[in-house]
Coordinates of all heavy atoms in Angstrom, one line a residue:
M1 N 28.3 -115.0 49.8 CA 29.2 -114.0 49.7 C 29.8 -113.8 48.3 O 30.3 -114.9 48.0 CB 30.2 -114.0 50.9 CG 31.1 -112.8 50.8 SD 32.6 -113.0 52.1 CE 31.7 -112.7 53.6
N2 N 29.9 -112.7 47.8 CA 30.6 -112.6 46.5 C 32.0 -112.3 46.7 O 32.4 -111.6 47.6 CB 29.9 -111.4 45.6 CG 28.5 -111.8 45.1 OD1 28.1 -112.9 45.3 ND2 27.7 -110.8 44.6
A3 N 32.8 -112.6 45.6 CA 34.2 -112.4 45.7 C 34.5 -110.8 45.5 O 33.7 -110.1 44.6 CB 34.9 -113.2 44.6
P4 N 35.5 -110.3 46.1 CA 35.7 -108.9 45.9 C 36.0 -108.6 44.4 O 36.9 -109.5 43.8 CB 36.8 -108.5 46.9 CG 36.9 -109.6 47.8 CD 36.3 -110.9 47.1
I5 N 35.7 -107.5 43.9 CA 35.8 -107.1 42.5 C 37.1 -106.0 42.5 O 36.7 -105.1 43.2 CB 34.5 -106.7 41.8 CG1 33.8 -107.9 41.7 CG2 35.0 -106.2 40.3 CD1 32.3 -107.6 41.3
S6 N 38.0 -106.1 41.7 CA 39.1 -105.1 41.4 C 38.5 -104.0 40.6 O 37.9 -104.2 39.5 CB 40.3 -105.8 40.9 OG 41.2 -104.7 40.6
I7 N 38.5 -102.7 41.1 CA 37.9 -101.6 40.4 C 38.9 -100.5 40.0 O 38.5 -99.7 39.0 CB 36.7 -101.1 41.0 CG1 37.0 -100.5 42.4 CG2 35.5 -102.1 41.1 CD1 35.8 -99.7 42.9
A8 N 39.8 -100.3 40.8 CA 40.7 -99.1 40.4 C 42.0 -99.2 41.4 O 42.0 -100.0 42.3 CB 40.0 -97.8 40.7
R9 N 42.9 -98.3 41.1 CA 44.2 -98.2 41.9 C 43.8 -97.1 42.9 O 43.0 -96.2 42.8 CB 45.4 -97.9 41.1 CG 45.7 -99.1 40.1 CD 47.1 -98.7 39.6 NE 48.1 -98.6 40.7 CZ 48.7 -99.6 41.4 NH1 48.2 -100.8 41.2 NH2 49.5 -99.3 42.4
V10 N 44.3 -97.3 44.1 CA 44.2 -96.4 45.2 C 44.6 -94.9 44.7 O 43.8 -93.9 45.0 CB 45.0 -96.8 46.5 CG1 45.0 -95.6 47.5 CG2 44.6 -98.1 46.9
D11 N 45.6 -94.9 43.9 CA 46.1 -93.4 43.5 C 45.1 -92.8 42.5 O 45.3 -91.7 42.1 CB 47.5 -93.5 43.0 CG 47.8 -94.5 41.9 OD1 46.8 -94.9 41.3 OD2 49.0 -94.8 41.7
E12 N 44.1 -93.5 42.0 CA 43.1 -92.9 41.2 C 42.0 -92.2 42.0 O 41.3 -91.4 41.3 CB 42.4 -94.0 40.4 CG 43.2 -94.6 39.3 CD 42.4 -95.7 38.6 OE1 41.2 -95.4 38.0 OE2 43.0 -96.9 38.5
I13 N 42.0 -92.3 43.3 CA 41.1 -91.6 44.2 C 41.9 -90.5 45.0 O 42.6 -91.0 45.9 CB 40.4 -92.6 45.0 CG1 39.8 -93.8 44.4 CG2 39.2 -91.9 45.8 CD1 38.8 -93.7 43.2
A14 N 41.7 -89.4 44.6 CA 42.3 -88.2 45.4 C 41.8 -88.1 46.8 O 40.6 -88.3 47.0 CB 42.1 -87.0 44.6
E15 N 42.7 -87.7 47.7 CA 42.2 -87.6 49.1 C 41.1 -86.5 49.0 O 41.3 -85.4 48.5 CB 43.4 -87.2 50.0 CG 43.1 -86.6 51.3 CD 42.5 -87.7 52.3 OE1 42.9 -88.9 52.0 OE2 41.7 -87.4 53.0
G16 N 40.0 -86.7 49.9 CA 39.0 -85.7 49.9 C 38.0 -85.7 48.7 O 37.3 -84.7 48.5
K17 N 38.3 -86.7 47.9 CA 37.4 -86.7 46.7 C 36.7 -88.1 46.4 O 37.1 -89.0 47.1 CB 38.3 -86.4 45.4 CG 39.1 -85.2 45.4 CD 38.1 -84.0 45.0 CE 38.9 -82.7 44.8 NZ 38.0 -81.5 44.8
G18 N 35.6 -88.0 45.4 CA 35.0 -89.3 45.2 C 35.1 -89.4 43.6 O 35.4 -88.6 42.8
K19 N 34.9 -90.8 43.2 CA 35.0 -91.2 41.8 C 33.9 -92.4 41.6 O 34.0 -93.1 42.6 CB 36.3 -91.5 41.5 CG 36.5 -91.6 40.0 CD 38.1 -91.7 39.6 CE 38.2 -91.7 38.2 NZ 39.7 -91.8 37.8
A20 N 33.2 -92.4 40.6 CA 32.3 -93.3 40.3 C 32.8 -94.5 39.4 O 33.4 -94.0 38.5 CB 30.9 -92.9 39.9
F21 N 32.4 -95.7 39.6 CA 32.8 -96.8 38.7 C 31.6 -97.7 38.5 O 30.7 -98.0 39.5 CB 33.9 -97.6 39.5 CG 35.1 -96.8 39.7 CD1 35.3 -96.3 40.9 CD2 36.2 -96.8 38.8 CE1 36.4 -95.4 41.2 CE2 37.3 -96.1 39.0 CZ 37.4 -95.3 40.2
D22 N 31.6 -98.3 37.4 CA 30.5 -99.3 37.2 C 31.1 -100.7 37.6 O 32.3 -101.0 37.2 CB 30.2 -99.5 35.6 CG 29.3 -98.2 35.3 OD1 28.5 -97.8 35.9 OD2 29.7 -97.7 34.1
V23 N 30.3 -101.4 38.5 CA 30.8 -102.6 39.0 C 29.6 -103.6 38.8 O 28.5 -103.5 39.5 CB 31.1 -102.6 40.5 CG1 31.7 -103.9 41.0 CG2 32.0 -101.4 40.8
G24 N 29.8 -104.4 37.8 CA 28.6 -105.2 37.4 C 27.5 -104.5 36.9 O 27.6 -103.6 36.1
E25 N 26.3 -104.6 37.5 CA 25.2 -103.8 37.1 C 25.0 -102.7 38.1 O 23.9 -101.8 38.0 CB 23.9 -104.7 37.2 CG 23.9 -105.8 36.1 CD 22.7 -106.8 36.2 OE1 21.9 -106.4 36.9 OE2 22.6 -107.6 35.3
K26 N 25.9 -102.4 39.0 CA 25.8 -101.3 39.9 C 26.8 -100.2 39.6 O 27.8 -100.5 39.0 CB 26.1 -101.8 41.4 CG 25.2 -102.7 41.9 CD 25.5 -103.2 43.4 CE 24.6 -104.4 43.8 NZ 23.6 -103.8 44.6
R27 N 26.4 -98.9 40.0 CA 27.5 -97.8 40.0 C 27.9 -97.5 41.4 O 26.9 -97.1 42.1 CB 26.7 -96.7 39.3 CG 27.8 -95.6 38.9 CD 27.5 -95.0 37.6 NE 28.4 -93.8 37.3 CZ 29.6 -94.0 36.6 NH1 29.8 -95.2 36.1 NH2 30.4 -92.9 36.5
I28 N 29.1 -97.6 41.7 CA 29.6 -97.4 43.1 C 30.4 -96.3 43.0 O 31.3 -96.0 42.2 CB 30.5 -98.7 43.4 CG1 29.7 -100.0 43.2 CG2 30.9 -98.5 44.8 CD1 28.5 -100.2 44.2
A29 N 30.3 -95.5 44.1 CA 31.1 -94.2 44.5 C 32.2 -94.5 45.5 O 31.8 -95.2 46.5 CB 30.3 -93.0 44.9
I30 N 33.4 -94.4 45.1 CA 34.5 -94.5 46.1 C 35.0 -93.2 46.5 O 35.2 -92.3 45.7 CB 35.6 -95.3 45.4 CG1 35.2 -96.6 44.7 CG2 36.8 -95.6 46.3 CD1 34.8 -97.6 45.6
F31 N 35.3 -93.1 47.8 CA 35.8 -91.9 48.5 C 37.0 -92.1 49.3 O 37.1 -93.3 49.9 CB 34.7 -91.3 49.4 CG 33.5 -90.9 48.7 CD1 32.4 -91.7 48.7 CD2 33.2 -89.7 48.1 CE1 31.2 -91.5 48.0 CE2 32.1 -89.2 47.4 CZ 31.0 -90.2 47.4
Q32 N 37.9 -91.2 49.3 CA 39.0 -91.3 50.1 C 39.0 -90.2 51.1 O 39.1 -89.0 50.7 CB 40.3 -91.4 49.4 CG 41.5 -91.5 50.3 CD 42.8 -91.9 49.6 OE1 43.8 -92.3 50.4 NE2 42.9 -92.0 48.4
V33 N 38.8 -90.6 52.4 CA 38.9 -89.5 53.5 C 39.8 -89.9 54.6 O 39.8 -91.0 55.2 CB 37.4 -89.4 54.1 CG1 37.3 -88.3 55.2 CG2 36.4 -89.0 52.9
D34 N 40.8 -89.0 54.8 CA 41.8 -89.2 55.8 C 42.5 -90.6 55.6 O 42.7 -91.4 56.5 CB 41.2 -89.2 57.2 CG 40.6 -87.8 57.6 OD1 41.2 -86.8 57.1 OD2 39.7 -87.7 58.4
G35 N 42.7 -91.0 54.3 CA 43.5 -92.2 53.9 C 42.5 -93.4 54.0 O 42.9 -94.5 53.7
Q36 N 41.3 -93.3 54.3 CA 40.3 -94.4 54.5 C 39.4 -94.4 53.1 O 39.0 -93.3 52.8 CB 39.5 -94.2 55.7 CG 38.7 -95.3 56.0 CD 39.3 -96.1 57.1 OE1 39.9 -95.5 58.0 NE2 39.1 -97.4 57.3
L37 N 39.3 -95.5 52.6 CA 38.4 -95.7 51.4 C 37.1 -96.0 51.9 O 36.9 -97.0 52.7 CB 39.0 -96.8 50.5 CG 40.3 -96.1 49.7 CD1 41.1 -97.2 49.1 CD2 40.1 -95.0 48.7
H38 N 36.0 -95.5 51.1 CA 34.7 -95.9 51.4 C 34.0 -96.3 50.0 O 34.3 -95.5 49.1 CB 33.9 -94.8 52.1 CG 34.5 -94.3 53.3 ND1 34.2 -95.0 54.7 CD2 35.4 -93.4 53.7 CE1 34.9 -94.4 55.6 NE2 35.6 -93.4 55.1
A39 N 33.1 -97.2 50.1 CA 32.3 -97.6 48.8 C 30.8 -97.6 49.2 O 30.4 -98.3 50.1 CB 32.9 -98.9 48.3
I40 N 30.1 -96.6 48.4 CA 28.7 -96.6 48.6 C 28.0 -96.6 47.2 O 28.7 -96.3 46.2 CB 28.3 -95.4 49.5 CG1 28.5 -94.0 48.7 CG2 28.9 -95.3 50.8 CD1 28.0 -92.8 49.3
D41 N 26.6 -96.8 47.2 CA 25.9 -96.6 45.9 C 26.1 -95.1 45.5 O 26.1 -94.2 46.2 CB 24.4 -96.7 46.1 CG 24.1 -98.3 46.5 OD1 24.7 -99.1 45.9 OD2 23.1 -98.4 47.3
D42 N 26.3 -94.9 44.2 CA 26.6 -93.6 43.6 C 25.4 -93.0 43.5 O 25.3 -91.6 43.6 CB 27.3 -93.8 42.3 CG 27.6 -92.4 41.7 OD1 28.2 -91.6 42.4 OD2 27.3 -92.1 40.6
A43 N 24.3 -93.5 43.2 CA 22.9 -92.8 43.0 C 22.2 -92.4 44.3 O 22.1 -93.1 45.2 CB 22.0 -93.7 42.1
C44 N 22.1 -91.1 44.5 CA 21.2 -90.6 45.5 C 19.8 -91.0 45.5 O 19.2 -91.0 44.4 CB 21.3 -89.1 45.5 SG 20.2 -88.3 46.8
P45 N 19.4 -91.7 46.5 CA 17.9 -92.2 46.5 C 16.9 -91.2 46.4 O 15.8 -91.5 46.1 CB 17.9 -92.9 47.9 CG 18.9 -92.4 48.7 CD 20.0 -91.9 47.8
H46 N 17.2 -89.9 46.4 CA 16.1 -88.9 46.3 C 15.7 -88.8 44.8 O 14.6 -88.9 44.6 CB 16.7 -87.5 47.0 CG 15.6 -86.5 46.7 ND1 15.9 -85.3 46.0 CD2 14.3 -86.3 47.1 CE1 14.8 -84.5 46.1 NE2 13.8 -85.2 46.6
A47 N 16.8 -88.4 44.0 CA 16.5 -88.2 42.6 C 17.6 -88.6 41.6 O 17.6 -88.3 40.5 CB 16.0 -86.7 42.3
G48 N 18.6 -89.4 42.2 CA 19.5 -90.0 41.3 C 20.9 -89.3 41.0 O 21.6 -89.8 40.2
A49 N 21.1 -88.2 41.7 CA 22.3 -87.6 41.4 C 23.5 -88.4 41.8 O 23.4 -89.4 42.5 CB 22.5 -86.2 42.4
S50 N 24.7 -88.2 41.2 CA 25.9 -88.9 41.4 C 26.5 -88.3 42.8 O 26.9 -87.2 42.8 CB 26.9 -88.7 40.2 OG 28.1 -89.3 40.6
L51 N 26.5 -89.2 43.7 CA 27.1 -88.8 45.0 C 28.7 -88.7 44.9 O 29.2 -88.0 45.7 CB 26.8 -89.8 46.2 CG 25.2 -89.9 46.5 CD1 25.0 -90.9 47.5 CD2 24.8 -88.6 47.0
A52 N 29.3 -89.3 44.0 CA 30.7 -89.0 43.7 C 31.0 -87.7 43.4 O 32.1 -87.2 43.7 CB 31.2 -90.1 42.5
E53 N 29.9 -87.0 43.0 CA 30.3 -85.5 42.6 C 29.9 -84.6 43.9 O 29.8 -83.5 43.7 CB 29.3 -85.0 41.5 CG 29.5 -85.9 40.3 CD 30.9 -85.8 39.7 OE1 31.4 -84.6 39.6 OE2 31.4 -86.7 39.1
G54 N 29.5 -85.2 44.9 CA 29.1 -84.6 46.2 C 30.3 -83.9 46.8 O 31.3 -84.1 46.6
Y55 N 29.9 -83.3 48.1 CA 30.8 -82.6 48.8 C 31.1 -83.5 50.1 O 30.1 -84.2 50.4 CB 30.4 -81.1 49.3 CG 29.1 -81.2 49.9 CD1 28.9 -81.2 51.3 CD2 28.0 -81.1 49.2 CE1 27.7 -81.1 51.9 CE2 26.7 -80.9 49.8 CZ 26.6 -81.0 51.1 OH 25.4 -81.0 51.8
L56 N 32.2 -83.4 50.6 CA 32.6 -84.4 51.8 C 32.8 -83.4 53.1 O 33.4 -82.4 52.9 CB 33.9 -85.0 51.5 CG 33.7 -86.1 50.4 CD1 35.1 -86.7 50.1 CD2 32.8 -87.2 50.9
E57 N 32.1 -83.8 54.1 CA 32.2 -83.0 55.3 C 31.8 -83.9 56.5 O 30.8 -84.6 56.6 CB 31.1 -81.9 55.2 CG 31.2 -80.9 56.3 CD 30.3 -79.7 56.0 OE1 29.1 -79.9 56.3 OE2 30.8 -78.6 55.5
D58 N 32.8 -83.9 57.4 CA 32.7 -84.6 58.7 C 32.2 -86.1 58.6 O 31.3 -86.5 59.3 CB 31.6 -83.9 59.6 CG 32.0 -82.5 60.0 OD1 33.2 -82.2 60.1 OD2 31.1 -81.5 60.2
G59 N 32.8 -86.8 57.7 CA 32.5 -88.2 57.6 C 31.2 -88.4 56.8 O 30.8 -89.6 56.5
N60 N 30.6 -87.4 56.1 CA 29.4 -87.5 55.4 C 29.8 -87.1 53.9 O 30.6 -86.3 53.8 CB 28.4 -86.7 55.9 CG 28.0 -87.0 57.3 OD1 27.9 -88.1 57.6 ND2 27.7 -86.0 58.2
V61 N 28.8 -87.5 53.0 CA 28.9 -87.0 51.6 C 27.6 -86.3 51.5 O 26.5 -86.8 51.8 CB 29.1 -88.2 50.6 CG1 28.1 -89.2 50.6 CG2 29.1 -87.4 49.2
G62 N 27.6 -85.1 50.9 CA 26.4 -84.3 50.6 C 26.1 -84.3 49.1 O 26.9 -84.3 48.3
C63 N 24.8 -84.6 48.9 CA 24.4 -84.6 47.4 C 24.5 -83.3 46.9 O 24.2 -82.3 47.3 CB 22.9 -85.2 47.4 SG 22.2 -85.1 45.8
P64 N 25.1 -83.3 45.5 CA 25.3 -82.1 44.8 C 24.0 -81.5 44.3 O 24.0 -80.3 43.9 CB 26.2 -82.5 43.7 CG 25.8 -83.9 43.4 CD 25.6 -84.5 44.7
W65 N 22.9 -82.2 44.3 CA 21.6 -81.6 43.8 C 20.8 -80.9 44.9 O 20.5 -79.7 44.7 CB 20.7 -82.6 43.1 CG 21.4 -83.0 41.6 CD1 22.5 -82.6 41.1 CD2 20.8 -84.0 40.8 NE1 22.7 -83.2 39.9 CE2 21.6 -83.9 39.7 CE3 19.5 -84.7 40.8 CZ2 21.4 -84.8 38.6 CZ3 19.4 -85.5 39.7 CH2 20.3 -85.6 38.7
H66 N 20.4 -81.6 45.9 CA 19.5 -81.0 46.8 C 19.9 -81.1 48.3 O 19.2 -81.1 49.2 CB 18.2 -81.7 46.7 CG 17.6 -81.7 45.3 ND1 17.4 -83.1 44.6 CD2 17.2 -80.8 44.4 CE1 17.0 -82.8 43.3 NE2 16.9 -81.5 43.2
Y67 N 21.4 -81.5 48.4 CA 21.9 -81.6 49.7 C 21.6 -82.5 50.8 O 21.8 -82.3 51.9 CB 22.0 -80.0 50.3 CG 22.2 -79.0 49.2 CD1 21.2 -78.1 48.7 CD2 23.6 -79.1 48.6 CE1 21.6 -77.2 47.8 CE2 23.9 -78.2 47.5 CZ 22.9 -77.3 47.2 OH 23.1 -76.3 46.1
A68 N 20.9 -83.6 50.4 CA 20.8 -84.6 51.3 C 22.2 -85.2 51.7 O 23.2 -85.0 50.9 CB 20.0 -85.9 50.6
E69 N 22.4 -85.6 53.0 CA 23.7 -86.2 53.4 C 23.5 -87.5 53.7 O 22.6 -88.1 54.4 CB 24.2 -85.3 54.5 CG 24.6 -84.0 54.0 CD 25.3 -83.1 55.1 OE1 25.4 -83.5 56.3 OE2 25.7 -81.9 54.8
F70 N 24.6 -88.4 53.6 CA 24.8 -89.7 53.9 C 26.1 -90.0 54.5 O 27.2 -89.4 54.2 CB 24.8 -90.6 52.6 CG 23.4 -90.4 51.9 CD1 23.6 -89.3 50.8 CD2 22.3 -90.9 52.0 CE1 22.3 -89.0 50.1 CE2 21.2 -90.7 51.3 CZ 21.2 -89.8 50.4
E71 N 26.1 -90.8 55.6 CA 27.3 -91.1 56.3 C 28.1 -92.2 55.5 O 27.5 -93.2 55.1 CB 26.8 -91.8 57.7 CG 27.8 -91.6 58.8 CD 27.0 -92.3 60.1 OE1 27.2 -93.4 60.2 OE2 26.6 -91.5 60.8
L72 N 29.4 -91.8 55.3 CA 30.2 -92.7 54.5 C 30.4 -94.1 55.0 O 30.3 -95.1 54.3 CB 31.6 -92.1 54.2 CG 31.6 -90.9 53.3 CD1 32.9 -90.1 53.2 CD2 31.1 -91.3 52.0
A73 N 30.6 -94.2 56.3 CA 30.8 -95.4 56.9 C 29.7 -96.3 57.0 O 29.8 -97.6 56.8 CB 31.3 -95.2 58.4
T74 N 28.6 -95.8 57.0 CA 27.3 -96.7 57.2 C 26.3 -96.6 56.1 O 25.3 -97.3 56.0 CB 26.5 -96.4 58.5 OG1 26.0 -95.0 58.4 CG2 27.6 -96.4 59.7
G75 N 26.3 -95.5 55.3 CA 25.2 -95.2 54.3 C 24.0 -94.6 54.8 O 23.2 -94.3 54.0
K76 N 23.9 -94.4 56.1 CA 22.7 -93.9 56.7 C 22.4 -92.4 56.3 O 23.5 -91.7 56.2 CB 23.0 -93.9 58.3 CG 21.7 -93.5 59.1 CD 22.1 -93.5 60.6 CE 21.0 -92.8 61.3 NZ 21.3 -92.7 62.8
H77 N 21.1 -92.1 56.0 CA 21.0 -90.7 55.5 C 20.8 -89.8 56.8 O 20.4 -90.3 57.8 CB 19.8 -90.6 54.7 CG 18.4 -90.6 55.4 ND1 17.8 -91.5 55.9 CD2 17.7 -89.5 55.7 CE1 16.6 -91.2 56.6 NE2 16.5 -89.9 56.3
R78 N 21.5 -88.7 56.7 CA 21.7 -87.8 57.8 C 20.8 -86.5 57.6 O 20.6 -85.7 58.4 CB 23.2 -87.3 58.0 CG 24.1 -88.4 58.0 CD 24.0 -89.2 59.3 NE 24.5 -88.3 60.3 CZ 24.3 -88.6 61.6 NH1 23.9 -89.7 62.1 NH2 24.8 -87.8 62.6
H79 N 20.4 -86.3 56.4 CA 19.8 -85.0 56.0 C 18.7 -85.3 54.9 O 18.9 -86.0 54.0 CB 20.9 -84.1 55.6 CG 20.8 -82.7 56.0 ND1 19.7 -81.9 55.5 CD2 21.4 -82.1 56.9 CE1 20.0 -80.7 56.0 NE2 20.9 -80.7 56.9
S80 N 17.5 -84.7 55.0 CA 16.5 -84.7 54.0 C 17.1 -83.9 52.8 O 18.3 -83.1 53.0 CB 15.3 -84.0 54.5 OG 15.5 -82.6 54.8
P81 N 16.6 -84.0 51.7 CA 15.2 -84.6 51.4 C 15.3 -86.1 51.1 O 14.2 -86.7 50.9 CB 14.8 -83.9 50.1 CG 16.1 -83.6 49.3 CD 17.1 -83.2 50.5
A82 N 16.4 -86.8 51.2 CA 16.4 -88.3 51.1 C 15.6 -88.7 52.3 O 15.9 -88.2 53.5 CB 17.8 -88.8 50.9
T83 N 15.0 -89.8 52.1 CA 14.3 -90.5 53.3 C 14.9 -91.8 53.6 O 14.2 -92.5 54.5 CB 12.8 -90.5 53.0 OG1 12.6 -91.4 51.8 CG2 12.3 -89.2 52.8
C84 N 15.8 -92.2 52.9 CA 16.5 -93.6 53.2 C 18.0 -93.5 52.9 O 18.5 -92.5 52.3 CB 15.9 -94.8 52.4 SG 16.2 -94.5 50.6
G85 N 18.8 -94.4 53.3 CA 20.1 -94.4 53.1 C 20.7 -95.0 51.9 O 19.7 -95.4 51.0
V86 N 21.9 -95.2 51.7 CA 22.5 -96.0 50.6 C 23.2 -97.2 51.1 O 23.6 -97.3 52.2 CB 23.3 -95.1 49.7 CG1 22.5 -94.0 49.1 CG2 24.5 -94.7 50.6
N87 N 23.4 -98.1 50.2 CA 24.2 -99.3 50.5 C 25.6 -99.0 50.6 O 26.1 -98.2 49.9 CB 24.1 -100.4 49.5 CG 22.7 -101.0 49.3 OD1 22.1 -101.3 50.4 ND2 22.1 -101.0 48.1
V88 N 26.3 -99.7 51.5 CA 27.8 -99.5 51.7 C 28.5 -100.9 51.3 O 27.8 -101.9 51.5 CB 28.3 -99.1 53.1 CG1 27.8 -97.6 53.4 CG2 27.9 -100.1 54.1
Y89 N 29.7 -100.9 50.9 CA 30.3 -102.1 50.4 C 31.8 -102.2 51.1 O 32.4 -101.1 51.1 CB 30.4 -102.1 48.8 CG 29.1 -101.9 48.3 CD1 28.6 -100.7 47.8 CD2 28.2 -103.0 47.9 CE1 27.3 -100.5 47.2 CE2 27.1 -102.8 47.4 CZ 26.5 -101.6 47.1 OH 25.3 -101.5 46.5
P90 N 32.0 -103.5 51.5 CA 33.3 -103.6 52.0 C 34.6 -103.4 51.1 O 34.3 -103.8 49.9 CB 33.4 -104.9 52.5 CG 32.0 -105.5 52.5 CD 31.3 -104.6 51.6
V91 N 35.5 -102.6 51.4 CA 36.7 -102.3 50.6 C 37.9 -103.0 51.0 O 38.1 -103.0 52.3 CB 36.8 -100.8 50.6 CG1 38.1 -100.4 49.7 CG2 35.8 -100.1 50.0
T92 N 38.7 -103.6 50.4 CA 40.0 -104.1 50.7 C 41.0 -103.6 49.6 O 40.7 -103.2 48.5 CB 40.1 -105.7 50.7 OG1 39.6 -106.1 49.4 CG2 39.2 -106.2 51.8
I93 N 42.3 -103.5 50.1 CA 43.4 -103.0 49.2 C 44.4 -104.1 49.1 O 44.9 -104.5 50.2 CB 43.9 -101.7 49.7 CG1 42.8 -100.7 49.8 CG2 45.1 -101.2 48.7 CD1 43.3 -99.4 50.5
T94 N 44.9 -104.5 48.0 CA 45.9 -105.4 47.7 C 46.9 -104.9 46.7 O 46.4 -104.6 45.6 CB 45.4 -106.8 47.3 OG1 44.4 -107.2 48.1 CG2 46.5 -107.8 47.2
D95 N 48.1 -104.6 47.1 CA 49.1 -104.0 46.2 C 48.7 -102.8 45.5 O 48.8 -102.8 44.3 CB 49.5 -105.1 45.1 CG 50.1 -106.3 45.7 OD1 50.7 -106.2 46.8 OD2 50.0 -107.4 45.2
G96 N 48.1 -101.9 46.3 CA 47.7 -100.7 45.7 C 46.3 -100.6 44.9 O 45.9 -99.7 44.2
Q97 N 45.7 -102.0 44.8 CA 44.6 -102.0 44.1 C 43.3 -102.1 44.9 O 43.4 -102.8 45.9 CB 44.6 -103.3 43.2 CG 43.6 -103.6 42.1 CD 43.8 -102.7 40.9 OE1 45.0 -102.2 40.6 NE2 42.8 -102.3 40.2
I98 N 42.3 -101.3 44.6 CA 41.0 -101.4 45.4 C 40.1 -102.5 45.1 O 39.8 -102.6 43.7 CB 40.2 -100.0 45.3 CG1 41.1 -98.8 45.6 CG2 39.0 -100.0 46.0 CD1 40.6 -97.5 45.2
H99 N 39.7 -103.2 46.0 CA 38.6 -104.3 45.7 C 37.4 -104.1 46.5 O 37.5 -103.6 47.6 CB 39.2 -105.7 46.1 CG 40.4 -106.1 45.4 ND1 40.5 -106.7 44.2 CD2 41.7 -105.7 45.8 CE1 41.8 -106.8 43.9 NE2 42.6 -106.4 44.8
V100 N 36.2 -104.2 45.9 CA 35.0 -103.9 46.5 C 34.2 -105.1 46.5 O 34.0 -105.9 45.4 CB 34.1 -102.8 45.8 CG1 32.9 -102.5 46.5 CG2 35.0 -101.5 46.0
E101 N 33.5 -105.5 47.5 CA 32.7 -106.7 47.6 C 31.2 -106.3 47.5 O 30.7 -105.6 48.4 CB 32.8 -107.2 49.0 CG 32.5 -108.7 49.1 CD 32.9 -109.2 50.4 OE1 34.0 -109.4 50.9 OE2 32.0 -109.5 51.2
V102 N 30.7 -106.5 46.3 CA 29.4 -106.1 45.9 C 28.5 -107.3 45.9 O 28.6 -108.2 45.2 CB 29.3 -105.4 44.4 CG1 28.0 -105.1 44.1 CG2 30.4 -104.3 44.3
A103 N 27.5 -107.3 46.8 CA 26.6 -108.4 47.1 C 25.5 -108.4 46.0 O 25.2 -107.4 45.4 CB 25.9 -108.3 48.4
Ligands
FES201 S1 19.1 -86.0 44.2 FE1 20.2 -86.1 46.0 S2 19.1 -84.8 47.3 FE2 17.9 -84.7 45.6

């Protein structure tokens, strides 16, 4: 298990929005929905769009390019044209700082 990595302050992620960060060799999208933070791979597995730029709806993020959808809590794909999901990463908050555990 890898140690959680500090990547941003909670107040950098607006409610109902996403933002992407480089974490080691990965690019991770962080979303805040109903006060809950979610961390998933930023790159859409269909053709690589930034999911941080996508739309949020009913606990899912929709890809801004071709509208594949992924469940924020599990990374499972909900909608074509993607045929697989994305990785999700555990998020913890300490003193207003977001930490993500990237395996
Ligand atoms: S790049 Fe995301 S659906 Fe095509």
Side-chain angles (χ1 to χ4, degrees):
M1 179 187 285
N2 291 350
I5 297 172
S6 174
I7 60 168
R9 294 198 52 79
V10 173
D11 56 19
E12 291 179 54
I13 314 296
E15 172 65 33
K17 298 284 184 192
K19 193 168 182 179
F21 298 89
D22 290 319
V23 183
E25 295 180 358
K26 296 177 186 266
R27 191 149 177 88
I28 306 292
I30 306 287
F31 300 91
Q32 184 167 186
V33 179
D34 297 331
Q36 190 102 30
L37 291 163
H38 301 275
I40 67 172
D41 288 328
D42 184 51
C44 176
H46 177 239
S50 171
L51 294 175
E53 305 294 322
Y55 57 91
L56 295 170
E57 194 172 76
D58 297 332
N60 300 317
V61 57
C63 178
W65 285 3
H66 314 108
Y67 314 114
E69 287 185 359
F70 305 89
E71 214 173 76
L72 289 172
T74 65
K76 182 179 172 188
H77 84 283
R78 308 285 298 170
H79 217 286
S80 60
T83 56
C84 64
V86 293
N87 293 311
V88 298
Y89 303 95
V91 176
T92 54
I93 300 168
T94 307
D95 296 330
Q97 192 73 27
I98 302 168
H99 303 267
V100 177
E101 206 173 291
V102 180

